[in-house]
Structures are given as structure tokens and as C-alpha cells.
Amino acid sequence: MKTETVQLEHQVAELTSRGEAVALGRAAFGLFALLSLWKIANAPQKIALPSFLCQSPLAAVLHAGWEPVFCDIDVETGNVSDSEWQRVFDAGVDAVLFVHLFGNVGNAASVADLCRKKGIYFIEDAAQSFGGTLQNKPCGSFGDASLISFGHTKIIDVKHGGMVLTDDGSLADQIRKFTDTYSGFTSDSASVAAKFLEMFYAARNQLGIKPEGAREAFGGLMSIYKPLVLSRWNPAAAEEISAQLTRLESAAEQRNEKSLEYMDLLSDTALVPLRMTAGSVPWRAVFRLPGIDWAEQKALSDAVRLESIDISNWYIPSHWMMARDGSSTAQLGFTESLSQEIFQLWVDDRTSMDRVKKSASVFISKLDKAGYG
């Protein structure tokens, strides 16, 4: 392994108070590696995870041959509640993927403790919360294994790479060996991604035009997406990531400042901000407009985008993408509500405070015009 990569791994391990950090092509491949290594041959194994999340973790779960057990979320925080975690524990799971959604550190510590008592693997997804803290401990330090990302729009963004963090040296060595010997990487990722995005956005747009029946279009999309979790680490990224890590604390502070500015500027509207736990680092500034439907969400977002303002409505419920396979009969009402009520505004390095003020002003004007002021 190149010296720069080894030095970066040591740097990240120290930042996150972990014994080991293993560099990989993307965080989702780290999840795939973990579940592949923990897989018991010919045994059905289940992992609990929120349905409201990026499709990449679900693709990694399916590619590793595990069965997802979807959790509903709390619309006020985006996190899975303690009672919902207990529900899936009672149903019998072998692992938990805890996601610090939108950088909200949430109840990770209590869920991690409960998993350890029950002998359940606890995997912490800190891809959106890197730089955050909980109980004076850094995000990424709570899991049997934890995941961080340096991909698009993450807290440290070089468009490539992720890491698995652990205190288990043997597990770290197994992941490195798995990565070195894994033969399933594909060179056709660009065309696969293009096909997935075409089908995904066609289904997403249909939700805002004619929602009845549109959900079916999401079913089966994971079978297309699964190969995209397979990504080799590029050692050339190590030096840039290492340099950017020196400003992790200031990057986190700036994101919090921008998010608070949005909350202040939008406080007199009908928007409800996501409630964040102390120590969180906002990935985006997240708001809900309670009670709106898919068509209203699409119309309002399109109007804002026409003014060249970045706004997004992630995520589509992951259990919808399993429906065609007959693998999900989940009834997750809060997940579906948040998906159609959510609006996110940018707080990354490329977004100045003046840009925040302009984005808020445009959003307010569109809210007023649509009668949501």
C-alpha cells in the first residue's frame, strides 16, 4: 500500500479515536465488505436499517446477500426512534446500520449499547456526520465498524473514497485482504449509473405529476444499482483528503453557521426545521412543509430551481425499491411523509453566506406565491 494512503489511514484513525481506518473506493463498498465477511454460509441474515436513506447502503446490503429489515423514522429528527429499533430487535436481526441522517448524531450511543447487550453487530454510517460529536466522542467512534465518506457533497469532499473504521485489528486486516483479492469490480459503471438515473428520475418526476401507481416504477431499481457499490480505492486521492482534513473542524463550524442562518431567515414561514442533536454537523439545511403532497413539493422545488437555487427532496423510501421483488411489505408512514414534505438547502464550502441569504429569499418568495408563507 502506498505511503500516502497509510498516512491518511493513521490520520483518520486518530481523528476519530479508532484503532484502525481502512481506505476504500467508497463507503458503500466498505459496508459490502463488512457484510460479506460476516456472512454465514447458507444462513439467512438480517440487517435493520432506516428506509429513508441513500440507495447505496441498501445496494451494498443486497449485494452481500443480507435481508434488509426496514425501520420507520421520526419526521422531526430523521432518526429512527428507540421504540422502532426495539421493534426490529424483537423481530430478530443480526446487524444494525445506524445512519446519522443529514448529519444528525441522534441516539447512536444508546442504540450501540443495546446492540452490544444483544450481541448484534452495530455499524455506524457517519458519511454525513463526519466531524460531529456525541457525548464528547467523535462520530465514527461508536460502531463495531463505522463508515465515513469523502464523496460528492460530504463534509470532506474530493468526489472519491470512503473508509471503514474499527478498533478490531483483525477485522481491518480482513477488509484489506478482501479488497485486494475481490474480483467483482466492474469497468462499466458509467453506463450502469446512467441507466439507473434515467429510470430513477423518470419515476421521481412521475410522483409529482401522477402519484397513483408511480411507486411501482421504483420497484426493482436496486437490481440495476447494485454493481455501483463496487469501487476500488484510488491512492491519488490520499494527499488531497489529508490536506482537507486539517480544516475539518472549521468546515463543521461553517456548516452549522449557515444552517442556523437558514433557520433564522425562514423562521416566519410554514417550514419546520429538522431538530438536530447537539454536536451534529448539518450535511444540508433540512426543512419540512407539513401536509403537502408530491405534486405540491415538485411544483415548489421546480419554481425555486428556476431561480438557479440548489434545493433537493431526498430521499425516496428504500422499501419502495424492493416492492417488485416481493421482499418488502413494510408500512412506514413517517418515512413516506418526510419524503414528500422535505426540502434541503446547501451549506457546503461552495455556498457562501450571501448565497444562503439569496437562497432563503427566493424560497420565501416562492412559498408566499404558492400560499405557504
Side-chain angles (χ1 to χ4, degrees):
M1 185 177 293
K2 288 193 174 182
T3 302
E4 291 85 356
T5 298
V6 173
Q7 291 174 341
L8 174 63
E9 290 179 338
H10 290 162
Q11 184 181 8
V12 172
E14 184 175 354
L15 274 172
T16 54
S17 301
R18 299 309 296 254
E20 298 277 355
V22 183
L24 302 161
R26 58 182 304 185
F29 182 71
L31 179 59
F32 170 70
L34 285 166
L35 296 181
S36 297
L37 290 167
W38 288 338
K39 179 69 176 171
I40 299 173
N42 302 317
Q45 286 176 278
K46 298 179 180 181
I47 180 169
L49 70 166
S51 177
F52 195 83
L53 84 171
C54 171
Q55 63 270 2
S56 295
L58 176 57
V61 166
L62 297 175
H63 215 358
W66 284 58
E67 178 185 342
V69 178
F70 294 111
C71 303
D72 210 352
I73 49 86
D74 173 5
V75 292
E76 294 184 357
T77 66
N79 289 134
V80 177
S81 67
D82 288 340
S83 61
E84 181 69 356
W85 283 123
Q86 188 61 58
R87 178 184 69 80
V88 296
F89 291 156
D90 291 344
V93 296
D94 304 284
V96 155
L97 179 68
F98 185 101
V99 182
H100 295 294
L101 192 67
F102 302 121
N104 196 358
V105 297
N107 53 347
S110 62
V111 179
D113 287 342
L114 191 57
C115 284
R116 291 188 184 100
K117 291 175 183 176
K118 292 180 174 290
I120 296 171
Y121 289 119
F122 182 83
I123 306 170
E124 179 191 13
D125 184 341
Q128 295 180 358
S129 65
F130 186 43
T133 60
L134 178 62
Q135 298 180 352
N136 297 316
K137 293 177 60 178
C139 288
S141 65
F142 289 91
D144 294 305
S146 302
L147 307 167
I148 60 173
S149 173
F150 308 114
H152 180 58
T153 75
K154 298 303 189 295
I155 311 299
I156 298 297
D157 173 6
V158 303
K159 306 294 186 294
H160 171 80
M163 285 196 176
V164 174
L165 313 174
T166 183
D167 295 323
D168 184 340
S170 175
L171 177 60
D173 289 342
Q174 289 177 62
I175 294 169
R176 292 188 178 100
K177 183 177 180 181
F178 180 90
T179 304
D180 290 342
T181 60
Y182 184 73
S183 59
F185 295 105
T186 177
S187 59
D188 194 28
S189 58
S191 62
V192 173
K195 181 180 180 182
F196 173 82
L197 289 173
E198 179 183 0
M199 297 178 69
F200 179 89
Y201 281 112
R204 182 70 181 83
N205 289 334
Q206 187 63 22
L207 266 179
I209 299 169
K210 191 176 180 182
E212 56 275 15
R215 296 181 187 183
E216 294 181 6
F218 291 100
L221 282 181
M222 296 316 302
S223 61
I224 298 171
Y225 187 87
K226 281 192 291 185
L228 296 178
V229 306
L230 309 177
S231 178
R232 290 188 182 277
W233 167 249
N234 180 3
E239 190 172 352
E240 183 180 358
I241 294 171
S242 181
Q244 288 206 31
L245 285 173
T246 61
R247 51 174 297 279
L248 178 61
E249 185 175 349
S250 64
E253 290 175 356
Q254 290 170 21
R255 283 175 176 258
N256 271 301
E257 289 171 1
K258 294 168 190 175
S259 183
L260 289 171
E261 183 72 5
Y262 273 123
M263 291 174 64
D264 182 55
L265 293 170
L266 298 170
S267 61
D268 291 332
T269 71
L271 293 167
V272 178
L274 198 74
R275 192 173 73 244
M276 305 286 277
T277 306
S280 299
V281 177
W283 178 56
R284 302 266 173 84
V286 184
F287 298 86
R288 294 167 45 231
L289 190 53
I292 64 167
D293 61 27
W294 295 106
E296 292 167 329
Q297 182 196 55
K298 182 179 188 301
L300 183 54
S301 298
D302 286 348
V304 172
R305 292 185 191 108
L306 283 173
E307 302 293 331
S308 299
I309 300 299
D310 291 319
I311 192 167
S312 68
N313 310 113
W314 298 104
Y315 294 102
I316 293 297
S318 292
H319 63 281
W320 289 2
M321 298 189 192
M322 296 287 293
R324 191 173 295 171
D325 300 328
S327 304
S328 176
T329 57
Q331 300 295 318
L332 305 176
F334 293 131
T335 293
E336 296 185 15
S337 292
L338 183 58
S339 188
Q340 71 180 19
E341 295 174 353
I342 198 168
F343 297 88
Q344 300 162 59
L345 297 159
W346 270 231
V347 293
D348 61 7
D349 291 343
R350 292 173 289 275
T351 305
S352 66
M353 194 62 80
D354 285 343
R355 183 68 175 173
V356 167
K357 293 175 181 178
K358 179 179 179 181
S359 298
S361 176
V362 169
F363 201 6
I364 290 169
S365 70
K366 301 306 178 184
L367 285 165
D368 288 342
K369 188 173 182 179
Y372 302 118

